[in-house]
Amino acid sequence: MARVALVTGGTRGIGKAISARLKADGFKVAANYAGNSEAADATAKELGISVYKWDVGDAAQCAEGIAKVTADLGPVDVLVNNAGITKDGLFHKMAQEKWDEVIRVDLSSLFYMTRPVIEGMRERGYGRIVNITSINGQKGQVGQVNYSAAKAGMIGFTKALAQECASKGVTVNAVAPGYIDTDMVAAVPEDVLKKIIAGIPVGRLGKAEEIAHAVSFLASDNAGFMTGATLTMNGAQYIAG
Ligand code: CAA
């Protein structure tokens, strides 16, 4: 029986590439999305996957959404916590709303999404949790105190939960992309982005498909001995110890 993979933010950007990769790997794929129904419908058609709309920063919506995915496809074997937002700005000018919103969507969502699936994974003795963090959770980034804090929090979550689940066949890992060619990165002011790319030794932005290949490995049966890890993929922009 094909395993079930649920990818949050799985209809655009890195998430779409992950959905495509996991579908090609033979998973039954459910992709969650928050708002852009047009893109979601197009992705559903293009990839032949199921898409579900809910806000990953809302506990009740997550519980309801996961119940629907489970009823439609079966229990979730692989959860990719990919959905995320930025609300950049210098901290000394940052409104609390920008802090609250990024922590809610990027970090609290890990609780809301993972808590409803973890007991089933433990009982079945199999599960794969993959959290998409960021280079900026590892090194910090000017203009992203909120995002850097949330993304660093995801790494702590990954390390702690990995230890709790290690004996139950459930692995928990993180992937830390650098600057990838997506809408999110395209929103960075052009002059700032130019400087950022100049600081990437590989000399270019990363591709969403490159990140998806790493997730594909972590989601596979072959990755059973890898847990608690953070896979850094950033073109050597920042080499985490
Ligand atoms: N270190 C310290 N200070 C810096 C700096 C640096 N590297 N770069 C700029 N600054 C300071 C400047 O000196 C200036 O300070 P003063 O006001 O005292 O002169 C100030 O920052 C810049 O002023 P601006 O008027 O330009 O500030 P702004 O509010 O318009 O914009 C910003 C600032 C929001 C940080 C903007 O530069 C920006 O958006 N930067 C990009 C941040 C970024 O990399 N985001 C990543 C998005 S993609 C993503 O998040 C995906 C992923 O995971 C990688």
Side-chain angles (χ1 to χ4, degrees), residues 9-34:
T11 63
R12 294 196 302 130
I14 292 175
K16 180 182 174 186
I18 293 169
S19 295
R21 183 69 253 150
L22 295 180
K23 168 82 178 174
D25 288 348
F27 289 91
K28 285 194 268 181
V29 177
N32 146 276
Y33 69 100

Side-chain angles (χ1 to χ4, degrees), residues 85-86 88-90 92-93 133-137 139 141-144 147 151 177-180 182 184-189 191-193 195-196 237:
I85 58 166
T86 55
D88 293 356
L90 297 170
H92 62 273
K93 300 183 212 166
T133 175
S134 165
I135 181 175
N136 293 341
K139 74 170 185 58
Q141 167 63 37
V142 171
Q144 289 199 307
Y147 185 82
K151 292 292 175 181
Y179 283 73
I180 309 301
T182 61
M184 185 184 270
V185 167
V188 173
D191 53 324
V192 177
L193 188 56
K195 276 190 212 147
I196 289 170
Q237 187 185 350

Side-chain angles (χ1 to χ4, degrees), residues 78-89:
V78 175
L79 170 65
V80 183
N81 286 310
N82 165 77
I85 58 166
T86 55
K87 288 200 178 285
D88 293 356

Side-chain angles (χ1 to χ4, degrees), residues 148-233:
S148 299
K151 292 292 175 181
M154 291 177 77
I155 295 174
F157 175 103
T158 300
K159 290 177 176 177
L161 189 60
Q163 293 175 58
E164 290 191 12
C165 295
S167 65
K168 302 290 183 191
V170 179
T171 66
V172 188
N173 292 288
V175 176
Y179 283 73
I180 309 301
D181 191 3
T182 61
D183 291 347
M184 185 184 270
V185 167
V188 173
E190 202 180 335
D191 53 324
V192 177
L193 188 56
K194 249 189 200 162
K195 276 190 212 147
I196 289 170
I197 294 173
I200 303 174
V202 168
R204 61 169 174 85
L205 295 175
K207 296 178 193 153
E209 293 73 21
E210 291 171 316
I211 304 305
H213 275 283
V215 175
S216 166
F217 168 67
L218 293 172
S220 72
D221 287 14
N222 288 328
F225 201 56
M226 188 163 197
T227 191
T230 298
L231 235 61
T232 292
M233 297 184 79

Side-chain angles (χ1 to χ4, degrees), residues 120-137:
M121 287 180 176
R122 290 170 65 93
E123 280 160 18
R124 292 190 301 279
Y126 188 88
R128 299 280 183 266
I129 312 276
V130 184
N131 299 320
I132 308 301
T133 175
S134 165
I135 181 175
N136 293 341

